[in-house]
């Protein structure tokens, strides 16, 4: 089939499926399950269909086999216990729902409408909740689960992977480096972004300058790393740093091999990329400041620096925090730069790149690192969402 | 607490002159109100005095010193903005203290000034609140307080009441009047498009129109002796009626024959040379009375009656006029709708304009 037709078909099926789902699910709810007339629920059929059959399917298809395997020593006990717990919980809620949907007494039309309206929000929420569960919640739980197993995935070793991680010096280096990244990159990107936003605000060619500074945002991290590989090249004919040194008669150096400081050379690449993002958001925020508060400050005698730091910055503090935390979250995810520039050598590992070195070799360890990263991102994320919500109000 | 002197002040954006030939002497302790229709440049003029807009021509003196090129903060002025322009991240106290902090005043001095201003404006209880926790009227008082603490030579108000609702506007207007009374030495310049504010607050009103000053004078001077048709129609509400006519008799009292068949007498002296001159007769709606006699100034059919109880506003059929003739009669006259009514006016209360200028000012 021609790919265009495939694409169109996908759209038609996708959109049609969505519309169809909402249309028919609501219709079944209003016409069949809770019709707007007096109904006499049939418990003897309803309970087995709504509660009995799904529970039976869960027991036979999921929990049962796992328990048998565990008893036979083919699967771990933990996963069997987990399966039983999940099945029991689902069965409990199914029973509750079935008892509510099929009461003993007859149901008046009004009650039926009320009950339909109680179920309706869940109809609308279901697709989103299902997708989020499948692509977000399940991976988190699944990763954590996987991180408790050894390299082959067959043997449960508890927190063994985590113990090994914290005992290893390269992990500690990665944590320390990552900490530096988290402190330096968002701070510098936000600072430069704010600076550029303020300086280009009134310039005629400010928009051109802003476009140029924003451009790195469009380059992939790997692409940007390649560009900077040239900049940092040890060959004076290629790298601008060594070309400059050469001009003054100094011997070439390889910046990415200088211990400790090489981290900052790598960080600068991300700063270069993210300054554009900070600039765009902060520029919009600066323009949102009421002009009159600035004029009032000028009349009050504030000099340009005081206007900037005492009047403008405090008024856009919320936006600055959002930008800062957004970049922080990004920093905790970027592995490309380290991976491309040094591969983690010369003491430049950060958590994501460290995770990548274990991926496919030892998934237990890699998922453990992933989980550590998630725990580290979580507080920043919560703060970020809170601030963003506050800004929207 | 200063004199202001504007000499040939001018504002141009590129080749476009928006203000020119502004000459004005403002004495210490005056409350000057700039009024004019929107776009007349009154706010621009105020912002030029403040130093927020460059003066492109002429000279501005404060206390005898030319301040054209002196930054706003050193001119000794304080400004209250239409939108209050409070610093949203600072408490009321910090808002009022900001200028003094910038000026590196001592803490005691700042506290004393802030507390004094807060007391005058009854803001004592709100000093630690953020502006967003205040009502519109309170915010405007904070903005005024921010000016007071600086003890400026000149206060500038840029339409300070136009963001308030009607009831609050009246109350705040009275507060500003009382504030002025409590500071008799301070000079204030006040921009508004609301003529009630202008009439009630001003010691002198400056009417701006078409990029220049139309007339300067006390509120009643402008009301009783407008220099030109623009001021005549701008001051007073509803606006003055204009009826075209021709001078037929001259002397200490002038007789004018009007379009629409009426005649009017005016206590304005004319000479024989003025006979046959085309004039516009201006008469305020409140200065006419209904009559049954032979002589009348205006005759027309009443189209709309607005009975306000204490008085009645009559709108006559335009009959080819641009605006309907209006009359404001005391008492209730609901029955006049649809009737043809004849009106006369006291000769002392009519105005004559030739080519837009009042004959009083020849």
């Amino acid at each position: 089939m021609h790919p265009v037709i495939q694409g169109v078909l996908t759209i038609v099926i996708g959109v049609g499926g969505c519309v169809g789902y909402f249309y028919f699910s609501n219709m079944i709810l209003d016409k069949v399950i809770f019709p707007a007339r007096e109904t006499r629920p049939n418990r003897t059929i309803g309970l087995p269909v709504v509660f009995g059959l799904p529970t039976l399917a869960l027991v036979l298809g999921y929990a049962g086999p796992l328990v048998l395997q565990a008893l036979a020593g083919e699967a771990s006990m933990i996963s069997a216990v987990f399966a039983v717990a999940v099945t029991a919980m689902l069965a409990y809620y199914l029973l509750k729902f079935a008892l509510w949907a099929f009461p003993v007494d007859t149901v008046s039309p009004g009650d039926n409408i009320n009950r339909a309206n109680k179920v309706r929000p869940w109809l609308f929420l279901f697709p989103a909740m299902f997708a989020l569960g499948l692509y977000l919640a399940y991976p988190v739980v699944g990763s954590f689960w996987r991180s408790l197993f050894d390299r082959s995935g067959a043997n449960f070793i508890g927190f063994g992977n985590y113990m090994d991680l914290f005992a290893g010096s390269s992990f500690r280096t990665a944590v320390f480096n990552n900490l530096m990244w988290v402190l330096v990159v968002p701070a510098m990107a936000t600072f430069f972004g704010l600076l550029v936003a303020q300086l280009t605000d009134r310039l005629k060619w400010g928009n051109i300058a802003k476009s140029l500074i924003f451009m790195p945002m469009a380059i992939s991290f790997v692409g940007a790393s390649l560009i900077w590989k040239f900049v940092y090249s040890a060959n004076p004919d290629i790298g601008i740093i060594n070309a400059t040194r050469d001009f003054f008669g100094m011997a070439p150096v390889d910046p990415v091999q200088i211990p400790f400081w090489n981290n900052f050379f790598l960080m600068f690449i991300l700063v270069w990329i993210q300054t554009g993002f900070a600039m765009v958001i902060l520029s919009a925020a600066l323009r949102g400041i009421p002009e009159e508060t600035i004029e009032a400050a000028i009349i009050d005698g504030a000099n340009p620096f005081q206007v900037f730091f005492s009047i403008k910055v405090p008024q856009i503090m919320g936006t600055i925090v959002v930008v800062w935390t957004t970049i922080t979250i990004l920093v905790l995810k970027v592995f490309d730069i380290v991976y491309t520039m040094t591969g983690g050598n010369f003491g430049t590992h950060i958590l994501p790149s460290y995770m990548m070195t274990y991926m496919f070799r030892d998934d237990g360890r890699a998922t453990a690192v992933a989980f550590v990263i998630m725990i580290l991102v979580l507080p920043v994320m919560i703060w970020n969402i809170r601030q963003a919500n506050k800004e929207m109000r | 607490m200063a004199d202001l002197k504007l000499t040939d002040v001018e504002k141009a954006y590129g080749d476009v002159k928006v203000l020119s030939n502004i000459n004005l002497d403002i004495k210490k302790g005056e409350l000057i109100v700039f009024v004019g229709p929107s776009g007349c440049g009154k706010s621009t003029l105020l912002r030029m005095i403040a130093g927020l807009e460059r003066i492109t021509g002429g000279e501005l003196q404060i206390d005898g010193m030319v301040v054209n090129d002196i930054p706003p903060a050193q001119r000794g002025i304080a400004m209250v903005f239409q939108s209050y322009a409070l610093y949203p991240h600072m408490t009321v106290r910090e808002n009022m203290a900001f200028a003094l902090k910038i000026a590196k005043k001592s803490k005691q001095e700042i506290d004393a000034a802030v507390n004094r201003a807060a007391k005058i404006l009854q803001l004592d209880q709100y000093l630690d609140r953020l502006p967003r926790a205040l009502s519109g009227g309170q915010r405007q008082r904070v903005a005024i307080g921010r000016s007071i603490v600086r003890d400026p030579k000149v206060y500038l108000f840029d339409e300070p009441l136009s963001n308030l609702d009607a009831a609050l506007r009246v109350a705040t207007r009275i507060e500003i009047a009382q504030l002025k009374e409590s500071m008799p030495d301070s000079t204030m310049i006040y921009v508004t498009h609301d003529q009630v504010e202008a009439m009630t607050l001003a010691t002198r009103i400056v009417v701006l129109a078409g990029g220049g000053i139309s007339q300067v004078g006390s509120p009643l001077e402008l009301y009783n002796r407008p220099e030109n048709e623009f001021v005549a129609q701008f001051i007073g509400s509803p606006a003055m009626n204009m009826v075209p006519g021709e001078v037929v008799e001259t002397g200490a009292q002038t007789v004018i024959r009007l379009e629409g068949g009426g005649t009017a007498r005016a206590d304005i002296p004319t000479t024989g040379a003025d006979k046959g001159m085309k004039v516009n007769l201006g008469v305020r709606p409140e200065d006419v009375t209904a009559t049954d006699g032979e002589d009348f100034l205006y005759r027309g059919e009443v189209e709309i009656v607005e009975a306000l109880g204490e008085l009645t506003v009559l709108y006559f059929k335009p009959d080819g006029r641009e605006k309907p003739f209006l009359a404001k009669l005391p008492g209730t006259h609901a029955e006049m709708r649809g009737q043809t009514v004849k009106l006369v006016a006291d000769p002392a209360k009519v105005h004559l304009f030739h080519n837009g200028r009042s004959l009083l000012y020849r």
Side-chain angles (χ1 to χ4, degrees):
Chain A
M1 212 193 298
H2 196 276
V4 172
I5 302 176
Q6 279 182 339
V8 171
L9 216 61
T10 310
I11 294 173
V12 169
I13 292 173
V15 175
C18 284
V19 174
Y21 165 76
F22 288 119
Y23 181 79
F24 288 111
S25 63
N26 277 288
M27 201 172 80
I28 290 172
L29 184 71
D30 288 331
K31 299 273 149 86
V32 181
I33 304 180
F34 299 121
R37 57 187 155 78
E38 192 173 272
T39 51
R40 197 179 282 277
N42 192 337
R43 270 200 158 194
T44 42
I45 294 178
L47 278 188
V49 168
V50 175
F51 162 68
L53 287 180
T55 308
L56 200 65
L58 276 171
V59 169
L60 292 183
Y62 174 49
L66 266 176
V67 170
L68 290 179
Q69 280 172 10
L71 289 177
E74 287 161 19
S76 68
M77 212 60 194
I78 309 251
S79 45
V81 170
F82 182 76
V84 170
V86 169
T87 307
M89 194 185 75
L90 287 173
Y92 171 72
Y93 283 108
L94 280 169
L95 182 63
K96 253 183 105 169
F97 176 75
L99 289 175
W100 175 75
F102 296 94
V104 184
D105 308 322
T106 52
V107 185
S108 69
D111 274 352
N112 263 333
I113 292 172
N114 283 341
R115 278 141 52 99
N117 284 342
K118 259 192 182 154
V119 174
R120 201 180 319 282
W122 297 102
L123 278 187
F124 284 100
L125 280 175
F126 174 73
M129 281 175 47
F130 179 75
L132 282 176
L134 187 64
Y135 294 111
L136 281 175
Y138 170 66
V140 169
V141 177
S143 300
F144 179 64
W145 188 239
R146 181 63 185 85
S147 72
L148 302 178
F149 287 79
D150 71 353
R151 189 169 157 178
S152 69
N155 304 312
F156 182 80
I157 52 167
F159 287 96
N161 282 320
Y162 294 89
M163 304 290 198
D164 285 353
L165 280 185
F166 288 105
S169 73
S170 55
F171 177 77
R172 286 202 300 259
T173 312
V175 171
F176 175 73
N177 284 345
N178 223 151
L179 199 66
M180 284 202 299
W181 277 69
V182 162
L183 291 179
V184 173
V185 175
M188 280 177 65
T190 312
F191 173 75
F192 285 133
L194 189 59
L195 199 69
V196 174
Q198 166 70 15
L199 292 182
T200 56
D201 199 26
R202 297 277 162 84
L203 284 183
K204 250 193 193 146
W205 47 277
N207 281 336
I208 297 172
K210 277 197 258 185
S211 312
L212 288 175
I213 289 166
F214 186 70
M215 232 174 252
M217 277 289 285
I219 304 173
S220 74
F221 294 124
V222 174
S225 304
L226 286 178
I227 293 172
W228 283 85
K229 251 198 158 144
F230 290 128
V231 175
Y232 291 155
S233 170
N235 182 345
D237 291 335
I238 299 173
I240 188 162
I241 293 178
N242 281 308
T244 318
R245 285 178 68 92
D246 194 49
F247 181 79
F248 291 109
M250 289 187 280
V253 293
D254 190 351
V256 297
Q257 288 196 38
I258 306 169
F260 185 69
W261 298 108
N262 52 5
N263 283 302
F264 291 91
F265 287 113
L266 300 193
M267 287 177 210
F268 192 75
I269 302 172
L270 193 52
V271 172
W272 178 72
I273 296 171
Q274 287 300 312
T275 295
F277 164 74
M279 172 200 73
V280 167
I281 310 276
L282 294 173
S283 177
L286 279 177
R287 296 224 167 138
I289 296 173
E291 189 66 21
E292 277 160 329
T293 59
I294 294 160
E295 288 179 342
I298 290 171
I299 287 183
D300 274 349
N303 63 36
F305 281 98
Q306 288 164 327
V307 169
F308 185 69
F309 287 109
S310 304
I311 304 298
K312 284 187 172 180
V313 170
Q315 287 196 61
I316 60 166
M317 210 26 145
T319 313
I320 291 178
V321 169
V322 170
V323 168
W324 190 298
T325 47
T326 305
I327 298 177
T328 305
I329 293 166
L330 180 95
V331 168
L332 286 164
K333 292 191 295 194
V334 172
F335 83 99
D336 326 37
I337 292 172
V338 171
Y339 200 76
T340 322
M341 294 295 285
T342 64
N345 294 310
F346 322 120
T348 55
H349 257 317
I350 54 175
L351 286 174
S353 68
Y354 183 76
M355 176 181 76
M356 286 303 288
T357 60
Y358 281 101
M359 213 160 145
F360 309 120
R361 292 201 288 126
D362 183 348
D363 282 348
R365 204 173 245 246
T367 45
V369 180
F371 211 73
V372 169
I373 295 174
M374 202 200 78
I375 301 285
L376 291 178
V377 175
L378 219 52
V380 188
M381 190 90 115
I382 291 169
W383 196 25
N384 177 281
I385 293 170
R386 280 205 181 153
Q387 277 296 332
N389 280 346
K390 228 194 266 172
E391 284 296 290
M392 268 193 279
R393 250 176 253 134
Chain B
M1 280 149 262
D3 299 337
L4 254 85
K5 195 172 159 74
L6 285 79
T7 319
D8 290 328
V9 167
E10 182 185 293
K11 177 73 188 174
Y13 293 104
D15 291 338
V16 185
K17 272 190 193 176
V18 292
L19 284 170
S20 53
N21 290 326
I22 306 289
N23 288 295
L24 202 57
D25 256 318
I26 299 172
K27 295 270 164 298
K28 169 179 157 179
E30 273 194 301
L31 199 164
I32 297 288
V33 174
F34 293 169
V35 286
S38 52
C40 71
K42 53 192 190 294
S43 279
T44 307
L45 184 56
L46 191 78
R47 290 165 61 83
M48 283 157 77
I49 295 172
L52 294 171
E53 299 268 356
R54 225 167 58 75
I55 298 169
T56 51
E59 213 177 72
L60 168 67
Q61 292 179 8
I62 297 179
D63 264 350
M65 188 167 74
V66 178
V67 297
N68 282 28
D69 297 318
I70 291 182
Q74 285 150 40
R75 291 188 182 189
I77 48 109
M79 187 154 167
V80 175
F81 292 83
Q82 178 177 354
S83 63
Y84 324 129
L86 299 180
Y87 311 128
H89 56 287
M90 297 186 193
T91 61
V92 170
R93 183 192 299 279
E94 287 164 342
N95 259 288
M96 298 209 278
F98 185 70
L100 301 181
K101 236 183 221 163
I102 295 274
K104 300 218 159 59
K105 291 268 166 48
S106 74
K107 199 168 174 336
Q108 292 89 340
E109 224 173 324
I110 295 176
D111 280 347
V114 170
N115 289 335
R116 189 178 63 95
K119 196 158 243 168
I120 294 173
L121 297 162
Q122 294 153 21
L123 285 167
D124 322 45
Q125 308 156 29
Y126 308 111
L127 279 176
D128 293 316
R129 285 206 199 167
L130 287 175
R132 65 163 169 270
L134 300 178
S135 69
Q138 289 167 338
R139 285 181 207 181
Q140 192 53 279
R141 290 218 293 273
V142 176
I144 294 169
R146 204 164 58 176
S147 307
I148 293 178
V149 292
R150 296 185 50 203
D151 197 17
K153 294 183 200 163
V154 185
Y155 288 85
L156 306 176
F157 293 89
D158 189 5
E159 308 212 18
L161 305 184
S162 47
N163 275 9
L164 303 177
D165 63 53
L168 208 52
R169 197 177 299 179
V170 174
T172 313
R173 193 178 76 209
I174 291 166
E175 275 172 24
I176 290 179
Q178 287 167 341
L179 182 73
K180 175 73 190 75
E181 225 155 88
S182 68
M183 300 189 292
D185 284 341
S186 56
T187 311
M188 294 186 180
I189 303 177
Y190 189 107
V191 164
T192 181
H193 59 263
D194 182 321
Q195 55 162 301
V196 179
E197 277 171 39
M199 298 296 280
T200 51
L201 288 173
T203 48
R204 275 196 300 160
I205 295 178
V206 177
V207 182
L208 288 161
I213 293 179
S214 220
Q215 188 176 358
V216 182
S218 73
L220 289 181
E221 227 166 72
L222 295 189
Y223 181 82
N224 290 326
R225 293 170 60 87
E227 220 174 282
N228 49 49
E229 278 184 31
F230 176 79
V231 174
Q233 293 200 292
F234 190 77
I235 303 289
S237 173
M240 185 186 279
N241 297 298
M242 288 290 167
V243 188
E246 196 184 306
V247 175
V248 288
E249 271 177 48
T250 58
Q253 211 177 39
T254 308
V255 179
I256 307 102
R257 182 176 303 126
L258 297 165
E259 273 179 21
T263 47
R265 291 173 177 280
D267 286 347
I268 297 166
T270 42
T271 57
D274 294 332
K275 201 163 180 172
M277 181 164 67
K278 296 271 180 226
V279 292
N280 269 345
L281 176 121
V283 59
R284 295 192 184 278
E286 54 268 38
D287 290 337
V288 294
T289 45
T291 179
D292 292 327
E294 283 289 299
D295 289 342
F296 62 89
L297 181 149
Y298 183 84
R299 179 176 60 184
E301 189 188 327
V302 178
E303 193 173 44
I304 300 168
V305 175
E306 285 181 349
L308 302 175
E310 50 166 331
L311 52 86
T312 305
V313 183
L314 307 177
Y315 291 71
F316 290 84
K317 256 202 175 136
D319 281 332
R321 290 168 55 88
E322 225 174 88
K323 286 186 232 159
F325 194 98
L326 266 68
K328 219 175 182 179
L329 303 179
T332 309
H333 304 279
E335 78 288 351
M336 281 190 175
R337 185 165 171 199
Q339 287 180 9
T340 297
V341 175
K342 284 187 277 189
L343 300 169
V344 289
D346 179 351
K349 295 208 166 154
V350 300
H351 308 262
L352 292 180
F353 301 96
H354 177 61
N355 288 337
R357 285 195 57 76
S358 169
L359 293 188
L360 278 173
Y361 288 87
R362 282 201 290 184

